[in-house]
C-alpha cells in the first residue's frame, strides 16, 4: 500500500482471536459446573430426607410382612378354693388373728383345717405378711390360688406328702386382698393376655 497506509519495517500487526468467543466458552463451562453441583446437592437432600436406600428397603420389607394372629398362652388349670385346704397359724403377738383370718378364708370358699399359734420355728419370726408352707406340688396349684388372697406372701416347701397348705400370718399382715382384687388376680392367671405378635 502506498501513501500513509504503507507498511514499513519488519513489524506486522498481530492478529488476535475475538474476545467474545473466549467469554462464551468460559460461560458455558461455568454453567455446566454449576448445573452439576446443583444436581449433586439435590440428590444429597433427597437422600437425607428419605433415609437412603436402606430405609426404603426396610420400609418395603415391613410392608411385605404377612399378617400373623397373636399367640395366646395356654390357660393354667388351677384348683377351686374349695379344693385347697388351709391351716391358719398366727406368728404375731395379736391374739385371735388366726381365728379371724380362718373365718374370712372360709367365707371365700377355702377349706379350713387347723387354726392356732405358729410353731417355735416361725413364732414372731415372720416379718412380712405371711408364709405359705406346703408340699412342692402346691407351687403349681394351691400356692397360686391362696396367694391371690394375700399379696406379698412368701412361698416355702417342705417334705410333707399331704396337700394342705399352712398359712403362717406375719407381723405385716393387716387384711386379705379385697374379693374384687383376688378375683382380678385369679382371672389374670387363668386367662392370660395374648402374647405380642412377632415383629417383621
Amino acid at each position: 500500500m502506498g501513501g500513509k497506509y504503507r507498511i514499513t519495517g519488519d513489524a506486522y500487526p498481530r492478529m488476535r482471536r475475538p474476545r467474545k468467543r473466549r467469554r462464551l466458552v468460559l460461560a458455558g463451562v461455568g454453567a455446566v459446573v454449576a448445573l452439576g453441583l446443583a444436581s449433586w446437592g439435590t440428590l444429597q437432600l433427597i437422600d437425607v430426607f428419605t433415609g437412603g436406600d436402606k430405609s426404603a428397603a426396610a420400609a418395603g420389607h415391613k410392608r411385605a410382612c404377612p399378617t400373623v394372629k397373636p399367640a395366646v398362652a395356654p390357660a393354667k388349670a388351677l384348683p377351686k378354693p374349695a379344693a385347697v385346704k388351709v391351716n391358719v397359724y398366727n406368728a404375731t403377738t395379736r391374739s385371735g388373728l388366726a381365728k379371724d383370718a380362718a373365718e374370712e378364708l372360709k367365707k371365700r370358699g377355702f377349706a379350713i383345717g387347723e387354726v392356732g399359734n405358729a410353731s417355735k420355728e416361725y413364732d414372731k419370726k415372720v416379718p412380712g405378711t405371711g408364709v405359705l408352707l406346703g408340699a412342692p406340688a402346691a407351687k403349681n396349684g394351691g400356692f397360686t390360688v391362696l396367694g391371690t388372697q394375700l399379696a406379698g406372701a412368701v412361698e416355702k416347701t417342705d417334705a410333707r406328702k399331704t396337700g394342705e397348705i399352712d398359712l403362717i400370718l406375719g407381723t405385716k399382715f393387716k387384711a386379705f386382698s379385697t374379693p374384687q382384687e383376688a378375683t382380678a388376680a385369679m382371672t389374670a392367671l387363668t386367662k392370660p393376655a395374648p402374647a405380642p405378635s412377632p415383629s417383621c
Side-chain angles (χ1 to χ4, degrees), residues 93-180:
T93 57
R94 289 175 284 172
S95 61
L97 185 62
K99 180 181 178 181
D100 293 341
E103 289 178 355
E104 181 61 30
L105 289 177
K106 186 176 182 180
K107 291 178 183 178
R108 300 187 183 196
F110 289 88
I112 303 301
E114 295 182 4
V115 178
N117 293 324
S119 62
K120 292 182 179 180
E121 182 181 358
Y122 292 98
D123 189 28
K124 301 178 184 64
K125 297 177 183 178
V126 180
T129 58
V131 173
L132 304 182
L133 183 63
K139 293 183 67 68
N140 297 322
F143 279 177
T144 304
V145 177
L146 186 56
T148 62
Q149 309 295 324
L150 182 60
V154 177
E155 298 179 2
K156 290 186 177 182
T157 60
D158 56 15
R160 73 181 67 187
K161 301 299 182 180
T162 55
E164 78 272 4
I165 298 173
D166 294 347
L167 171 58
I168 307 171
L169 302 174
T171 55
K172 289 187 179 181
F173 175 80
K174 294 182 179 180
F176 291 111
S177 304
T178 64
Q180 293 78 9

Side-chain angles (χ1 to χ4, degrees), residues 20-154:
K20 291 184 178 180
R21 182 177 300 176
R22 183 179 300 174
R23 291 178 181 175
L24 290 175
V25 171
L26 292 176
V29 172
V32 171
V33 172
L35 183 61
L37 290 174
S39 300
W40 181 81
T42 302
L43 290 175
Q44 293 298 315
L45 287 174
I46 292 174
D47 186 58
V48 168
F49 286 106
T50 59
D53 294 337
K54 293 181 179 180
S55 297
H61 178 67
K62 287 183 178 180
R63 287 193 296 269
C65 181
T67 302
V68 180
K69 293 183 179 180
V72 179
K76 295 182 179 179
L78 297 174
K80 299 292 184 181
V84 180
K85 186 177 180 180
V86 185
N87 300 320
V88 184
Y89 299 109
N90 182 10
T92 74
T93 57
R94 289 175 284 172
S95 61
L97 185 62
K99 180 181 178 181
D100 293 341
E103 289 178 355
E104 181 61 30
L105 289 177
K106 186 176 182 180
K107 291 178 183 178
R108 300 187 183 196
F110 289 88
I112 303 301
E114 295 182 4
V115 178
N117 293 324
S119 62
K120 292 182 179 180
E121 182 181 358
Y122 292 98
D123 189 28
K124 301 178 184 64
K125 297 177 183 178
V126 180
T129 58
V131 173
L132 304 182
L133 183 63
K139 293 183 67 68
N140 297 322
F143 279 177
T144 304
V145 177
L146 186 56
T148 62
Q149 309 295 324
L150 182 60
V154 177

